[in-house]
């Protein structure tokens, strides 16, 4: 074999090696992270400070119930807080409190562990705290919200729409107000938040929001 | 000397450093001297075979001198420390130079919101620039800060300014600073305020006049945001 042939062969082998290695590395990088629930439980102690050890939330400090919410949704929200997409507006008081918590989950493995642990907790059904006209809310829900959150309020992962049944009514109204005022869903990069922001514009006022939320609570039955 | 580890950026940073050094030298001198005498006596009067321990009542003049003379000397040192401390306290806390600019600093669990005056140079107008965890100021300019808290006690601390001021819910506390060089440094909370206290950090950007004008211009193009105050929830 001539010298030049050997060099060409070595060069080709080198290129092939680089390609195989990079393909393998890429596959490895894209591999889903396996949640470690035991580690998630440890990490959840941080969340429990506000959301409670059962993840049932605490209205006094505007911490919503998170127990049993889908892991994909909780993970997406913590990523939003971490990346400054959510909870970065100067007037988003409760969101600003979550912002550093999201940053503490800087490691994706931690993020997956803790959000899957929250998802593994028994879902709660927070009691109603607001007065709304469910009949009026039903009309709006079935015209607008149903598209993404479904007729049964159980959400649709494909549309990034979370289930609503385990949320507190005060939390849902607070979020609708934030979407409408631009405290949430107005940041560049918050694609799904932007969708919800435009939907919130169809609600006239806070009473209208309470009506829709009152109807959502009736879907629990 | 302290500057070697933490830069001194405000006009009064060196006053604080000098006071800390003064206290360190005076207290350190007495500490070393006392420890030397203490261990000297322990060695000199150590246990020896056949020698009984002696009970010292401390009533004799020759014994009392060991207390009264150092006591008087320490009091003289205290006078120097008090004079220095009062001077620094007056310069930073009692004295309030006229403001060239004013910013609002709002602490909450666990973030800082900084409200800067917009193009009109005035606070509490429609063009105010409210930012989370970013404070932009112009070098060689006297700033008043209006410090508020939305929830619990916090402390607005800028180590390179040697500035620390409690933020108390329900109060607006006015203070001042004047940064002497451009750059960016840490802002921290120096009062335990809950689980996220340790990561309640922000950055201060001290800018040249041109840089600061560019900052205001770039943020004035964005849609105006509601002006954050401690009560604005």
């Amino acid at each position: 074999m001539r010298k030049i042939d050997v060099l060409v062969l070595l060069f080709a082998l080198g290129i092939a090696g680089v390609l195989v290695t990079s393909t393998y590395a890429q596959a490895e990088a894209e591999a889903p992270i396996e949640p470690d629930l035991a580690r998630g439980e440890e990490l959840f102690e941080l969340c429990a400070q506000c959301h409670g050890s059962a993840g049932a939330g605490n209205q006094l400090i505007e911490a919503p119930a998170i127990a049993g919410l889908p892991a994909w949704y909780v993970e997406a929200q913590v990523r939003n807080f971490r990346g400054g997409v959510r909870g970065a507006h100067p007037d988003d008081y409760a969101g600003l409190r979550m912002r550093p918590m999201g940053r503490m989950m800087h490691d994706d493995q931690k993020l997956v562990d803790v959000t899957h642990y929250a998802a593994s907790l028994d879902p709660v059904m927070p009691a109603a705290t607001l007065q709304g006209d469910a009949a009026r809310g039903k009309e709006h829900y079935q015209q607008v919200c149903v598209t993404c959150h479904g007729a049964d309020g159980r959400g649709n992962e494909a549309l990034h729409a979370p289930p609503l049944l385990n949320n507190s009514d005060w939390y849902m109204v607070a979020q609708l107000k934030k979407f409408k005022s631009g405290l949430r869903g107005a940041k560049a990069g918050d694609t799904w938040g932007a969708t919800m922001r435009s939907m919130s514009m169809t609600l006239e006022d806070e009473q209208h929001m309470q009506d829709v939320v009152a109807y959502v609570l009736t879907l629990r039955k | 000397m302290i500057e070697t580890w933490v830069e001194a950026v405000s006009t009064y940073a060196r006053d604080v450093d000098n006071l800390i050094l003064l206290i360190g030298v005076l207290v350190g001198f007495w500490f070393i001297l006392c420890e030397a005498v203490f261990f000297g006596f322990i060695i000199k009067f150590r246990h020896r075979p056949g020698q009984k321990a002696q009970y010292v009542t401390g009533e004799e003049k020759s014994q009392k001198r060991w207390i009264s003379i150092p006591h008087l000397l320490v009091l003289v040192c205290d006078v120097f420390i008090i004079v220095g401390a009062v001077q620094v306290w007056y310069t930073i806390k009692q004295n309030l130079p006229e403001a060239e600019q004013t910013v609002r600093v709002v602490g909450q669990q666990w973030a800082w919101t900084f409200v800067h005056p917009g193009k009109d140079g005035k606070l509490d107008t429609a063009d105010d620039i409210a930012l989370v965890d970013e404070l932009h100021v112009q070098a060689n300019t006297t700033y008043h800060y209006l410090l508020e808290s939305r929830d619990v006690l916090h402390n607005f601390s800028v180590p390179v300014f040697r500035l620390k001021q409690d933020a108390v819910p329900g109060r607006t506390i006015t203070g001042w600073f004047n940064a002497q060089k451009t750059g960016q440094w840490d802002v921290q909370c120096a009062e335990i305020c809950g689980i996220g206290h340790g990561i309640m950090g922000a950055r201060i950007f001290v800018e040249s006049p041109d840089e600061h004008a560019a900052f205001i211009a770039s943020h004035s193009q964005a849609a105006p945001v509601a002006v954050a105050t401690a009560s604005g929830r």
Side-chain angles (χ1 to χ4, degrees):
Chain A
M1 196 180 270
R2 287 182 307 167
K3 260 187 185 174
I4 190 80
D5 293 337
V6 174
L7 284 174
V8 167
L9 183 65
L10 284 174
F11 181 74
L13 282 171
I15 292 287
V18 168
L19 282 173
V20 168
T21 313
S22 64
T23 309
Y24 177 74
Q26 198 178 352
E28 199 175 46
E30 287 170 4
I33 299 169
E34 284 301 313
D36 178 348
L37 290 186
R39 178 78 179 123
E41 185 176 5
E42 286 172 19
L43 293 165
F44 194 79
E45 281 182 25
L46 176 70
C47 319
Q49 302 289 329
C50 295
H51 296 281
S53 52
N58 183 348
Q59 188 181 358
L60 280 176
I61 47 174
E62 298 175 64
I66 52 173
L69 289 177
W72 62 263
Y73 174 69
V74 184
E75 186 183 325
Q77 295 312 305
V78 179
R79 278 185 194 280
N80 282 350
F81 282 116
R82 186 173 78 174
V85 173
R86 185 179 171 189
H89 193 287
D91 291 327
D92 185 1
Y93 174 70
L96 283 172
R97 271 205 303 225
M98 256 312 283
R99 176 181 154 95
M101 299 301 122
R103 285 176 172 180
M104 283 179 87
M105 297 301 149
H106 52 84
D107 177 51
D108 280 351
Q109 181 67 56
K110 279 185 176 180
L111 181 65
V112 168
D113 294 346
V114 76
T115 51
H116 278 74
Y117 177 76
S120 74
L121 293 171
D122 290 335
V124 291
M125 294 282 183
T129 63
L130 303 171
Q131 298 293 322
D133 180 349
R136 184 178 175 228
K138 180 180 181 182
E139 193 182 330
H140 188 88
Y141 187 92
Q142 292 188 338
Q143 283 174 0
V144 182
C145 320
V146 70
T147 319
C148 299
H149 293 282
D152 55 4
R154 293 185 188 280
N156 185 341
E157 184 180 351
L159 297 173
H160 294 252
L164 304 171
L165 306 187
N166 302 110
N167 284 327
S168 311
D169 55 1
W170 59 264
Y171 175 73
M172 286 189 274
V173 170
Q175 296 313 300
L176 287 169
K177 283 161 73 177
K178 283 184 186 179
F179 278 120
K180 186 157 181 163
S181 66
L183 297 193
R184 186 176 170 188
K187 276 260 178 188
D190 189 2
T191 313
W192 302 104
T195 308
M196 191 57 209
R197 178 160 156 71
S198 58
M199 294 299 115
S200 69
M201 297 301 179
T202 61
L203 292 158
E204 292 162 20
D205 51 24
E206 190 171 342
Q207 185 56 53
H208 201 183
M209 295 173 187
Q210 289 193 24
D211 295 343
V212 172
V213 169
Y215 175 68
V216 169
L217 296 195
T218 66
L219 296 174
R220 290 173 175 176
K221 294 165 190 168
Chain B
M1 188 177 170
I2 296 171
E3 248 185 284
T4 312
W5 295 288
V6 186
E7 280 183 88
V9 175
S10 71
T11 46
Y12 47 66
R14 284 188 189 87
D15 296 339
V16 176
D17 287 356
N18 291 338
L19 178 64
I20 290 171
L21 275 178
L22 176 71
I23 295 171
V25 167
L26 292 179
V27 173
F29 168 75
W30 284 108
F31 174 75
I32 290 166
L33 188 64
C34 288
E35 294 302 306
V37 170
F38 181 64
F39 282 102
F41 282 175
I42 286 176
I43 293 162
K44 187 177 178 188
F45 299 112
R46 68 185 179 278
H47 172 70
R48 289 193 175 92
Q51 186 173 326
K52 274 190 167 184
Q54 182 189 355
Y55 181 67
V56 179
T57 60
E59 287 171 300
E60 289 173 29
K61 269 191 176 177
S62 61
Q63 293 167 346
K64 282 185 185 172
R65 278 193 207 117
W66 285 97
I67 302 296
S68 56
I69 293 173
H71 184 201
L72 281 172
L73 292 173
V74 166
L75 284 178
V76 171
C77 292
D78 281 350
V79 171
F80 285 99
I81 290 174
I82 289 167
V83 168
V86 167
Q87 277 180 347
V88 170
W89 181 263
Y90 178 81
T91 305
I92 300 171
K93 301 287 185 182
Q94 299 292 112
N95 173 45
L96 189 65
E98 201 168 326
E100 293 170 79
Q101 289 279 339
T102 303
V103 289
R104 175 173 286 109
V105 178
V106 184
Q108 72 151 83
Q109 288 177 320
W110 293 280
W112 293 103
T113 295
F114 301 104
V115 186
H116 311 73
K119 274 184 177 168
D120 63 1
K122 291 177 188 164
L123 208 56
D124 296 330
T125 55
D127 68 348
D128 284 355
I129 301 163
L131 295 178
V132 173
D133 295 344
E134 270 188 36
L135 172 58
H136 292 255
V137 298
Q138 188 174 308
N140 301 306
T141 304
T142 300
Y143 276 83
H144 280 190
Y145 61 83
L146 309 176
L147 181 60
E148 299 172 7
S149 167
R150 278 173 162 175
D151 38 39
V152 298
L153 278 179
H154 297 281
N155 186 296
F156 176 52
S157 164
V158 186
V160 292
F161 286 4
R162 309 294 189 266
L163 168 61
K164 270 176 145 184
Q165 175 61 57
D166 273 356
V168 182
R171 286 183 62 188
T172 300
I173 295 169
T174 306
W176 72 282
F177 59 79
N178 186 325
Q180 296 292 286
K181 56 179 161 183
T182 58
Q184 53 169 298
W185 293 277
D186 287 335
V187 174
Q188 61 187 11
C189 178
E191 181 68 51
I192 295 284
C193 61
I195 189 78
H197 165 70
I199 48 171
M200 188 175 158
R203 295 290 278 175
I204 183 164
F205 298 81
V206 181
E207 296 156 341
S208 66
D210 288 346
E211 287 169 341
H212 196 62
F215 157 75
I216 290 173
S218 67
H219 284 76
S220 298
Q221 288 157 4
V225 293
V227 176
T229 62
S231 56
R233 293 175 65 161

